[in-house]
Amino acid sequence: MQKFRNTIFYIFLMMGGLFGFQSAEAACVVTNLPTLNFDAINPVFPQSSNELASVDLRYECEPNKNQLVCIEIYGSRGPNNMRTLSHASSPSNQMAFNIFKDPARQMVWDHGNDSVSGLIVAYGKDWNGSGVQSIYGRLYPTGELQTGLYTASIRLVIRQAQTPSGPCMGQPRESTLSVIANVLKACTVSATTPSQNNGIDTPA
């Protein structure tokens, strides 16, 4: 009988461990991720155009527990971790841009299981599970730009963990951040030289 009780105890203990593991691996779900839209770009004076844009990422996670939420944004490369927009019909024509964690656009938002590269948000035990984070973008248009639409699709990964300290090792959920910019067609002005008589007939 005692052996049977011990067996039942260990079964419940194992079930608790399994449930705890599943809870630690709980996943967040992105509920809203709008397009990061740099809008209209002036090809004549690109640096005076709308170079800044931002959107709010909204997500739902398991509530009422001490949580860490990690958000990673991919697509960076090069020495400055820059990202690129490609022309819709001519992908070799590109514009540089980047994504930041702060309104001043000084901290690049990258991927990595740490607060330096990615973004880690800590929530208390009374958290209702709803979260929102702003994503800030800056465009770097230089040189001669081809008119038309420029686009990029950036991978975004969100994870959740119940460990109040340490990396987020929960189940990843992936979403796509769409980024667009539209280079306007430059206006052109043509002129003709007027006739010397200014259109007035003079007698011979």
Side-chain angles (χ1 to χ4, degrees), residues 4-138:
F4 175 76
R5 289 177 179 176
N6 289 341
T7 302
I8 296 297
F9 172 78
Y10 284 120
I11 289 175
F12 276 108
L13 186 63
M14 291 176 63
M15 289 177 65
L18 288 174
F19 288 140
F21 176 76
Q22 290 176 351
S23 180
E25 292 291 325
C28 295
V29 177
V30 172
T31 57
N32 189 31
L33 182 56
T35 297
L36 185 64
N37 186 357
F38 289 102
D39 203 13
I41 306 299
N42 186 336
V44 180
F45 303 104
Q47 295 296 337
S48 64
S49 301
N50 185 12
E51 300 174 28
L52 306 180
S54 64
V55 294
D56 285 338
L57 163 69
R58 299 183 183 276
Y59 51 89
E60 295 286 340
C61 304
E62 184 180 347
N64 301 325
K65 294 181 179 179
N66 292 321
Q67 300 285 2
L68 290 179
V69 175
C70 297
I71 307 171
E72 303 171 84
I73 301 180
Y74 288 71
S76 63
R77 59 179 181 269
N80 298 319
N81 293 326
M82 297 295 278
R83 297 164 165 98
T84 55
L85 287 165
S86 298
H87 193 276
S89 61
S90 180
S92 60
N93 290 307
Q94 297 180 336
M95 275 192 294
F97 79 100
N98 223 332
I99 296 171
F100 300 86
K101 295 181 276 189
D102 61 313
R105 292 164 173 82
Q106 295 180 342
M107 296 183 292
V108 174
W109 198 332
D110 208 340
H111 63 279
N113 209 1
D114 59 79
S115 58
V116 177
S117 301
L119 179 72
I120 297 180
V121 187
Y123 293 98
K125 62 182 179 63
D126 296 326
W127 179 43
N128 65 3
S130 297
V132 57
Q133 294 296 324
S134 295
I135 299 173
Y136 302 94
R138 179 185 289 276

